[in-house]
Amino acid sequence: GALVDTRTIIARCPAPLVPLPSRGCGCGAHLEPTFRADDAAGFEVDFEALRRLPAAECQPCRFAYHKPSAGNGRCVPQQWPAIAGTSVCALVVIVVLMTFVRCVYLRRLLRLAEVERESAEKDRRIRQAVTGVTTLEFPLAVMPLSKLREQGRLVSYEEARDAGALRFCDTVESAVAFAAGLPVMFVSHQWLSRHHPDPKAQHYPAILEAAEA
């Protein structure tokens, strides 16, 4: 008889099997058999026996598994899920670190701003204190002893001012010059009523006596 080149023989496979390069039958790409591959290994070359077998069932590869070519092998795990999982974890770690660094940076900025405000307030108080030594925020009002005698009693600032019984020093220099030429006595006393500093003349004699001493 005539010789047949078996290399050109293509297996006739029952559905859902497909011909394989090894002249056997198996599941297509991205499909795996529901039976073990080694159970069908003996039938890949015996075409007649394979045709007598009931059609094998194929199932799709599970998630994260693949089979790039047809055959009776099992689907194998893909690499991308592990890489993707690692990338997601790395991204989460990076986001957490960036959030932490940002919080630390913002807290540091707030602390620096607070320190700057405290420093500015301290400088303002120092300048105000220095200015207070060399300037008068309010005029210095003094009453000559003769005017105190003429009043015959303690009167309010407004009444003494309107009566012309006060002398004013508007600057530190004028106050220093005034005190250098005349003795100055500072008197602090409590008002003894709501509308008059000394309604019953209780403080006036003591203040006059002290001033004349």
Side-chain angles (χ1 to χ4, degrees):
L3 297 177
V4 178
D5 187 359
T6 58
R7 293 175 299 178
T8 62
I9 296 176
I10 300 176
R12 294 179 181 178
C13 302
L17 302 179
V18 297
L20 302 176
S22 60
R23 294 175 294 174
C25 296
C27 296
H30 308 297
L31 297 174
E32 64 178 356
T34 56
F35 56 86
R36 293 182 304 171
D38 54 354
D39 293 338
F43 304 109
E44 291 189 0
V45 180
D46 192 348
F47 305 126
E48 294 297 327
L50 184 59
R51 280 194 290 270
R52 289 193 298 269
L53 286 175
E57 294 184 2
C58 298
Q59 61 184 4
C61 294
R62 292 169 294 170
F63 177 74
Y65 284 73
H66 77 126
K67 193 180 73 167
S69 58
N72 286 323
R74 283 287 189 180
C75 298
V76 296
Q78 290 181 331
Q79 296 298 322
W80 66 265
I83 296 175
T86 303
S87 300
V88 170
C89 292
L91 181 61
V92 170
V93 171
I94 292 174
V95 170
V96 172
L97 288 177
M98 291 181 63
T99 303
F100 175 76
V101 171
R102 184 174 181 272
C103 291
V104 172
Y105 178 70
L106 290 178
R107 284 199 297 266
R108 181 173 177 81
L109 286 181
L110 292 176
R111 178 56 183 165
L112 290 176
E114 182 180 356
V115 171
E116 290 180 358
R117 286 195 299 269
E118 292 177 355
S119 178
E121 178 63 18
K122 184 183 295 184
D123 292 342
R124 186 191 67 80
R125 291 180 179 179
I126 292 174
R127 288 193 298 269
Q128 184 178 8
V130 172
T131 303
V133 174
T134 57
T135 59
L136 294 178
E137 295 186 8
F138 304 98
L140 173 64
V142 295
M143 177 183 290
L145 180 58
S146 58
K147 295 293 183 180
L148 180 62
R149 292 194 188 99
E150 291 178 6
Q151 296 291 332
R153 58 191 177 93
L154 293 182
V155 297
S156 65
Y157 165 80
E158 290 78 10
E159 184 178 348
R161 179 196 60 195
D162 295 342
L166 300 179
R167 295 183 58 179
F168 295 94
C169 298
D170 296 321
T171 64
V172 172
E173 291 77 12
S174 61
V176 170
F178 179 83
L182 297 171
V184 177
M185 183 181 73
F186 176 79
V187 177
S188 177
H189 66 93
Q190 179 183 6
W191 277 48
L192 299 181
S193 74
R194 186 180 184 86
H195 303 289
H196 195 278
D198 190 22
K200 297 181 179 181
Q202 294 176 275
H203 288 171
Y204 177 76
I207 293 174
L208 185 60
E209 182 181 356
E212 292 176 340

